[in-house]
Amino acid sequence: MSSHTEIAAKKALIELQTGIAARERGEFTKAIQNLEIAARIFNKLVDSGHYRYTADLGDTYYEFAYTRKSNDDLDGMIQDFERVLTITPGHGKTVRALSEAYMEKIATLDESDDPAGATVLHERIIPLVRADEKLREKISEKYQDRGLQYRLKGEPHKGLANYQRALDFGPFLTATALSNYAGSLTQAACEEPDPHVIAELKDRAQGAWEEALHIDPEHIDARLALIELNITCFKYEQAAKGANMLWSNVKNRERTVCAWLGALALTLSGRPDSEAAEYESYLQDSPTKVNKRSWVATEIDHHIDEVKQSNLPASLLKRIKHLHGLFMGNLS
């Protein structure tokens, strides 16, 4: 290395360290100025062919990216992290940081209803983290959490989109993850006009809940969800049988939900009111409230709206409304 190159490299390193120090003091404009000088010098040195330490240039853009993050410039941060990986491919901490930045940007695109933009960034993450199993798991968990939050907010298609993204990093391995995913599928079905799409979504949901029960046969929410699914698919006798089998094994919140589903299934199947008396009595005096966030009633609400449009006797519709009202009164 010539003395001129060595002097220039030292100057660039000083500017780099000065920029980092300025950022830590919250002087973002000065930090960017120092880092721009360092990047300009390192770029000239690398382009000249007399300077082999391209990592220094990569480190400069890495610090650039974090400075932009501190200054709430998410797009600029992403561009600088991408530049680091162009200069030094596989730069470990940049791979992690860039994947996190992409995830943050995807969240903002979801909120602003830009699924196409979110898909572009999601497809960049997949190859980026292919070699890092722990990072893939972390990203999948974030997507699943976002999917659940959108489901609870009543935005099923955004929820389902996030679950589908999570699946790009591997299958769901826990009963709870599968059950939440299935719930997102059935909730999305409620907003679909195409009966073929509805059937396909419900078939996928049934498969996910059955897989959840294969992993954990005692997963009560999955069992309750399958009863609910049978009701929404007009399989009332099957739903009533499922509720009856589960009734003696549940308590607290799950018992309240089971009573609601069992009473509805029996009534919709045309059984005498007396057969649902135990369920109805429990709903009237349930000692346990059901948190609205722990059980989303969208699917049954939608099914009841469908039933109301049928030719059922007015007395039966009144009874269904009464039973559903008892359950809704147990929500907190």
Side-chain angles (χ1 to χ4, degrees):
M1 186 189 301
S2 68
S3 59
H4 174 75
T5 299
E6 187 174 352
I7 291 171
K10 285 182 178 178
K11 176 174 174 53
L13 288 170
I14 290 171
E15 293 290 346
L16 173 59
Q17 295 303 320
T18 302
I20 294 171
R23 181 188 67 211
E24 292 175 349
R25 294 193 302 269
E27 300 173 6
F28 301 121
T29 301
K30 176 170 173 49
I32 289 174
Q33 290 172 347
N34 291 123
L35 292 169
E36 283 176 343
I37 294 171
R40 189 161 55 246
I41 296 171
F42 279 133
N43 266 310
K44 287 183 179 179
L45 290 174
V46 171
D47 290 344
S48 72
H50 300 300
Y51 192 73
R52 295 178 290 111
Y53 305 107
T54 55
D56 287 338
L57 180 58
D59 287 343
T60 301
Y61 282 114
Y62 181 84
E63 298 300 338
F64 241 136
Y66 263 102
T67 301
R68 295 191 194 282
K69 180 180 181 180
S70 301
N71 205 27
D72 296 324
D73 181 3
L74 181 57
D75 291 334
M77 177 176 69
I78 287 173
Q79 289 174 4
D80 285 327
F81 279 142
E82 290 175 335
R83 196 172 297 177
V84 173
L85 293 179
T86 300
I87 298 165
T88 54
H91 194 266
K93 61 182 181 180
T94 302
V95 167
R96 291 188 292 275
L98 180 56
S99 66
E100 290 173 1
Y102 280 150
M103 289 294 289
E104 187 176 344
K105 182 64 176 180
I106 288 169
T108 65
L109 293 171
D110 279 344
E111 285 296 305
S112 59
D113 296 313
D114 184 0
T119 298
V120 169
L121 294 186
H122 171 70
E123 290 177 351
R124 291 183 193 175
I125 296 177
I126 296 171
L128 184 66
V129 303
R130 185 170 288 128
D132 192 329
E133 184 176 352
K134 288 185 177 179
L135 187 52
R136 290 202 311 274
E137 290 176 0
K138 182 179 179 181
I139 290 170
S140 177
E141 288 171 359
K142 279 189 176 181
Y143 274 137
Q144 290 176 55
D145 183 63
R146 290 179 186 177
L148 179 60
Q149 295 309 312
Y150 274 121
R151 182 185 170 214
L152 294 174
K153 289 196 298 183
E155 298 183 67
H157 287 290
K158 288 182 181 180
L160 185 54
N162 277 280
Y163 278 114
Q164 291 298 136
R165 292 169 192 158
L167 284 169
D168 285 333
F169 299 94
F172 300 139
L173 301 177
T174 69
T176 297
L178 284 160
S179 187
N180 287 335
Y181 168 55
S184 186
L185 287 164
T186 55
Q187 192 180 29
C190 294
E191 295 194 357
E192 278 293 335
D194 187 335
H196 296 291
V197 175
I198 293 171
E200 187 263 338
L201 289 170
K202 289 186 176 182
D203 282 346
R204 285 164 58 192
Q206 181 174 344
W209 273 315
E210 288 174 349
E211 188 178 349
L213 289 172
H214 179 74
I215 294 171
D216 179 8
E218 302 304 317
H219 198 281
I220 300 300
D221 275 359
R223 291 194 175 280
L224 289 168
L226 280 172
I227 296 169
E228 182 181 42
L229 181 62
N230 280 325
I231 291 175
T232 65
C233 292
F234 298 89
K235 299 176 182 178
Y236 302 134
E237 291 287 350
Q238 196 169 332
K241 182 179 178 181
N244 182 59
M245 292 175 62
L246 193 58
W247 180 241
S248 62
N249 297 319
V250 288
K251 57 184 179 180
N252 301 329
R253 176 188 76 99
E254 291 84 3
R255 193 165 179 81
T256 303
V257 175
C258 188
W260 166 57
L261 295 174
L264 282 178
L266 287 168
T267 301
L268 287 163
S269 65
R271 302 280 191 87
D273 293 354
S274 58
E275 292 193 28
E278 185 177 359
Y279 294 142
E280 183 177 0
S281 176
Y282 189 86
L283 288 172
Q284 287 172 333
D285 300 307
S286 174
T288 307
K289 295 291 184 181
V290 178
N291 190 305
K292 290 180 181 179
R293 293 177 62 84
S294 69
W295 194 272
V296 182
T298 306
E299 292 84 350
I300 291 292
D301 286 338
H302 183 75
H303 184 69
I304 289 175
D305 286 339
E306 287 183 310
V307 168
K308 287 177 180 177
Q309 298 172 24
S310 65
N311 294 321
L312 291 178
S315 59
L316 184 57
L317 291 174
K318 183 178 179 181
R319 171 111 178 115
I320 292 167
K321 182 179 179 181
H322 166 68
L323 292 171
H324 192 51
L326 288 178
F327 176 72
M328 300 303 288
N330 280 297
L331 294 180
S332 62

